[in-house]
Amino acid sequence: SKWSYIGPDGENTWPKKYPFCGGVFQSPIDFHKDILQYDSNLSPLEFIGYNVSSTDQFTLTNNGHSVKMHLSPTMHIRNLPFEYTASQLHLHWGNRNKSEGSEHTISGKHFAAEMHIVHYNSEKYPDITAAMDKANGLAVLAILLEIGPFNPSYEKIFRHFRNVKYKDQMVHVPGFNVQELLPDRPDEYYRYEGSLTTPPCYPSVLWTVFRHPVKISQEQLLALETAMYCTESDDPEPLEMVNNFRNVQEFRERLVFISFHE
Ligand SMILES: NS(=O)(=O)c1c(F)c(F)c(S(=O)(=O)CCO)c(N[C@H]2CCCc3ccccc32)c1F
Ligand SMILES: [Zn+2]
């Protein structure tokens, strides 16, 4: 899968090889007040099996585009139109000189970074590969990250970054309660139908973007922005893994539903 966030294979060229990237319902988007509509039916999500025992383990991998952590199939969310089972989580970030690497923006403002927890519709499909190009196939939870105090929960992932510096490197992470990664008031969120933000950009994602950001420290953010490379350990021209976020997409004649009053 030869695509990147910069240069000749950057996001403006994605539609050439991945037609959906030039199509409808694309993500990410900017949340601004004239497209928001309160919806009283948006109830709090239930996170089942998110408290994974430390005797279990997650696998953290550098896949050349992001750092992703494979999650256990016992984790799933309820209170969506279907039951969705967790698949992986990954992050998007900027660079050490510009910590504005979130994908979604609020009134035009980027946050420092953004974490996505990818789930697939396990009621209708056997696995994520079958689900990822179907309507209502995927549900992604998005957590906005901003600078604040040191975050011990995020550190349970971040402390492993030095072992996945290069593409295809992997490390095991002891299980922990993934619910600790969610922000305050997870009942307050933005909801809209969109797409994967990377190729193949399938318009198959039910997005839940939490209203409140989570705080991580300046040092934790710097580690995220400087630890990883897109290239393999023996590559003579190392490429830093930075600015791995897609720009916001046109959002016309559509609404974003919010579970909270202004
Ligand atoms: N922002 S995003 O849209 O949530 C998002 C990413 F940004 C992202 F980089 C990935 S990736 O790391 O797999 C590299 C590119 O596919 C995914 N993968 C998903 C969808 C594609 C196939 C697949 C297969 C198994 C598990 C997860 C996924 C992704 F969904
Ligand atoms: Zn993502």
Side-chain angles (χ1 to χ4, degrees):
S1 62
K2 197 165 154 331
W3 57 271
S4 77
Y5 288 97
I6 189 169
D9 300 317
E11 64 185 86
N12 296 331
T13 73
W14 291 356
K16 275 191 278 185
K17 285 186 192 154
Y18 305 95
F20 286 106
C21 296
V24 295
F25 285 47
Q26 290 297 288
S27 297
I29 60 171
D30 177 53
F31 299 131
H32 49 276
K33 65 181 184 336
D34 46 1
I35 57 156
L36 302 180
Q37 179 171 302
Y38 173 69
D39 179 348
S40 59
N41 297 320
L42 294 179
S43 53
L45 296 183
E46 274 182 81
F47 307 100
I48 318 288
Y50 263 49
N51 190 352
V52 177
S53 154
S54 57
T55 55
D56 288 336
Q57 54 193 30
F58 302 122
T59 309
L60 190 69
T61 308
N62 175 332
N63 66 6
H65 304 296
S66 179
V67 58
K68 70 177 182 179
M69 190 163 87
H70 186 74
L71 298 169
S72 83
T74 56
M75 292 172 56
H76 49 278
I77 22 179
R78 256 193 239 136
N79 262 348
L80 286 176
F82 302 96
E83 184 187 80
Y84 285 84
T85 296
S87 174
Q88 52 113 292
L89 64 76
H90 61 269
L91 293 115
H92 302 268
W93 58 89
N95 66 78
R96 75 186 86 177
N97 301 317
K98 190 172 186 194
S99 297
E100 296 173 9
S102 69
E103 295 212 300
H104 291 90
T105 56
I106 299 180
S107 302
K109 169 192 154 96
H110 272 275
F111 287 78
E114 186 167 331
M115 187 176 79
H116 291 154
I117 310 179
V118 183
H119 301 69
Y120 71 92
N121 183 334
S122 43
E123 246 181 75
K124 288 175 71 177
Y125 306 105
D127 56 41
I128 190 160
T129 310
M132 68 185 184
D133 62 346
K134 309 291 191 309
N136 295 314
L138 301 180
V140 181
L141 308 181
I143 297 117
L144 299 164
L145 303 181
E146 66 181 5
I147 293 169
F150 176 79
N151 189 314
S153 299
Y154 276 76
E155 192 61 13
K156 293 175 183 173
I157 300 171
F158 284 35
R159 66 191 171 96
H160 296 283
F161 285 161
R162 64 181 68 88
N163 298 321
V164 285
K165 288 189 76 61
Y166 301 101
K167 185 171 184 291
D168 298 333
Q169 290 184 332
M170 296 169 74
V171 68
H172 291 305
V173 176
F176 63 94
N177 186 357
V178 176
Q179 207 161 336
E180 293 170 11
L181 302 177
L182 302 182
D184 297 336
R185 302 299 312 274
D187 57 306
E188 296 191 351
Y189 55 82
Y190 301 85
R191 165 69 50 73
Y192 77 100
E193 299 198 342
S195 75
L196 296 177
T197 67
T198 60
C201 305
Y202 295 132
S204 60
V205 180
L206 189 64
W207 281 96
T208 299
V209 181
F210 294 111
R211 180 189 194 183
H212 301 289
V214 160
K215 293 182 184 332
I216 60 173
S217 70
Q218 177 68 54
E219 292 73 18
Q220 287 177 300
L221 185 62
L222 187 65
L224 178 63
E225 291 164 342
T226 58
M228 267 93 47
Y229 289 84
C230 304
T231 42
E232 296 179 351
S233 55
D234 60 358
D235 195 314
E237 295 172 12
L239 268 176
E240 289 182 322
M241 189 181 285
V242 290
N243 308 317
N244 60 347
F245 62 93
R246 189 187 195 185
N247 286 303
V248 293
Q249 306 294 304
E250 281 298 313
F251 190 75
R252 275 192 295 270
E253 284 115 52
R254 288 198 286 155
L255 291 174
V256 171
F257 299 99
I258 52 179
S259 67
F260 54 91
H261 286 295
E262 292 312 326

